[in-house]
Amino acid sequence: QLTIIFKSFQECVDQKVYQAEMDELPAAFVDGSKNGGDKHGANSLKITEKVSGQHIEIQAKYIGTTIVVRQVGRYLTFAVRMPEEVVNAVEDRDSQGLYLCLRGCPANQQIDFQAVRSAQATEGRARRKGPSLPAPPEAFTYETATAKCREKLPVEDLYFQSCVFDLLTTGDVNFMLAAYYAFEDVKMLHSNKDKLHLYERTRVLSPGNTAPTGTHPALWVALLCLCWLCLL
């Protein structure tokens, strides 16, 4: 489930709530409206359906924000483009719900991709020494996962690595599409086309698992099952 809350903003928009669930991606807010309500700036907040049941976009022009929500297979994905000053204003308020977007997964929920790959290689060697057993129909090796991901993501950046990791751990090819559409959303939303490809971090995150000093969080793409996103 994905819930997005747009708070009432001066004389511009009423408070609006958008909610999506698997196989239910509405092109309207919870109250059935498609814009910001009865106030003078209602049309500065609106929902547009791009592909029925699969892809919607929410434009919140009064805070310079665009949100893309998709259903890919059994999963919901979202991408957000937001001005840095709005990000900072939201981050300063203790009650806001942007922790996931600003700081990523908590350290105790992170998985070491290299460790998973190494363990799979060890398991593969052990299997070769033992009885020959057929692999499960949806199982991927590192080689087959990378080959599959290259079909949609030829550059070996973080989107590609995410695709490979998800195929190895789930065997679900929908994750390949999720990574592909995440990158497509970045291409549409990112203001600097020279920085579309993200690569493995070379610096350790600062305390609190926040982004390193000097970075400018302006765009997030995430795959999720449950998330609350609260905006001004």
Side-chain angles (χ1 to χ4, degrees), residues 17-160:
V17 177
Y18 179 80
Q19 195 163 61
E21 298 181 3
M22 185 179 70
D23 295 328
E24 189 175 342
L25 192 68
F29 294 109
V30 170
D31 63 6
S33 64
K34 294 191 175 186
N35 64 13
D38 297 326
K39 293 184 177 180
H40 295 303
N43 286 327
S44 64
L45 173 63
K46 63 180 182 179
I47 295 179
T48 303
E49 185 176 61
K50 297 296 186 178
V51 180
S52 179
Q54 296 180 34
H55 178 192
I56 66 104
E57 290 183 13
I58 303 176
Q59 292 281 346
K61 294 181 180 179
Y62 64 101
I63 51 173
T65 295
T66 301
I67 301 175
V68 179
V69 184
R70 297 177 184 267
Q71 176 163 328
V72 182
R74 298 181 297 111
Y75 308 99
L76 296 176
T77 71
F78 73 87
V80 183
R81 183 176 191 268
M82 182 184 294
E84 186 175 357
E85 56 268 28
V86 177
V87 174
N88 292 336
V90 172
E91 189 178 18
D92 288 341
R93 299 183 182 183
D94 294 337
S95 62
Q96 300 298 328
L98 278 173
Y99 178 84
L100 171 67
C101 302
L102 291 179
R103 295 171 175 81
C105 295
N108 63 357
Q109 294 182 22
Q110 295 178 19
I111 301 173
D112 187 334
F113 172 75
Q114 297 301 334
V116 170
R117 180 182 175 185
S118 176
Q120 188 191 53
T122 301
E123 181 182 346
R125 287 193 295 270
R127 187 182 297 116
R128 285 193 293 273
K129 291 178 182 178
S132 178
L133 297 175
E138 292 187 341
F140 283 89
T141 65
Y142 181 75
E143 289 73 21
T144 59
T146 54
K148 190 67 176 175
C149 290
R150 282 197 188 98
E151 293 178 10
K152 291 286 189 180
L153 299 161
V155 178
E156 295 191 14
D157 56 9
L158 284 181
Y159 300 100
F160 174 86

Side-chain angles (χ1 to χ4, degrees), residues 3 12 74-76 90 100 104 136 145 147 199 206 220 230:
T3 299
C12 191
R74 298 181 297 111
Y75 308 99
L76 296 176
V90 172
L100 171 67
Y199 296 92
S206 56
W220 307 273
C230 205

Side-chain angles (χ1 to χ4, degrees), residues 199-206 209-216:
Y199 296 92
E200 207 167 336
R201 274 197 184 95
T202 56
R203 290 181 289 176
V204 176
L205 291 178
S206 56
N209 202 31
T210 56
T213 303
T215 61
H216 299 283

